[in-house]
Amino acid sequence: SGNLEWLDKNKTSFLIMWRRPEEWGKLIYQWVSKNGLTNSVFTLYELASGDDTENEEFHGLDEAMLLRALQALQQEHKAEIITLDDGRGVKFF
């Protein structure tokens, strides 16, 4: 039950998550901190598919889950999701 989330009120469809969004956010923030990238801005594409994250567990993460992970970081005041010309991005604090 910890990593299952119902997608509708009637409980006819659900999402099974390898990790909760908060856990993904923690992994992403650890990578940002470890590499001295606080106060940096990244596109969602760079985080999920960029060369710099190739060896990280969150590389290839679905965009919807990535956004939820970043929203969890935003609630902790560790990041801010921003709108860029070509889509969404994130600034880490």
Side-chain angles (χ1 to χ4, degrees):
S1 65
N3 291 334
L4 181 142
E5 181 179 298
W6 292 106
L7 297 175
D8 60 354
K9 290 180 184 178
N10 296 328
K11 296 187 176 183
T12 58
S13 61
F14 57 87
L15 175 67
I16 296 177
M17 297 175 275
W18 178 254
R19 288 193 168 94
R20 292 188 331 269
E22 297 80 11
E23 294 173 287
W24 284 118
K26 186 175 181 178
L27 283 174
I28 293 167
Y29 198 76
Q30 285 173 349
W31 174 79
V32 167
S33 298
K34 177 179 69 178
N35 290 288
L37 298 170
T38 52
N39 295 316
S40 298
V41 174
F42 292 90
T43 65
L44 298 190
Y45 177 84
E46 288 173 314
L47 283 177
S49 305
D51 293 342
D52 293 339
T53 64
E54 202 167 38
N55 295 321
E56 301 301 321
E57 290 184 64
F58 59 86
H59 187 83
L61 191 61
D62 174 71
E63 186 173 321
M65 183 59 70
L66 177 59
L67 257 177
R68 291 180 64 186
L70 296 174
Q71 287 167 342
L73 288 176
Q74 188 168 263
Q75 288 178 340
E76 296 176 22
H77 307 289
K78 293 181 177 179
E80 181 181 354
I81 299 169
I82 56 176
T83 302
L84 303 169
D85 292 339
D86 56 349
R88 292 191 192 161
V90 60
K91 180 173 182 171
F92 293 100
F93 304 115

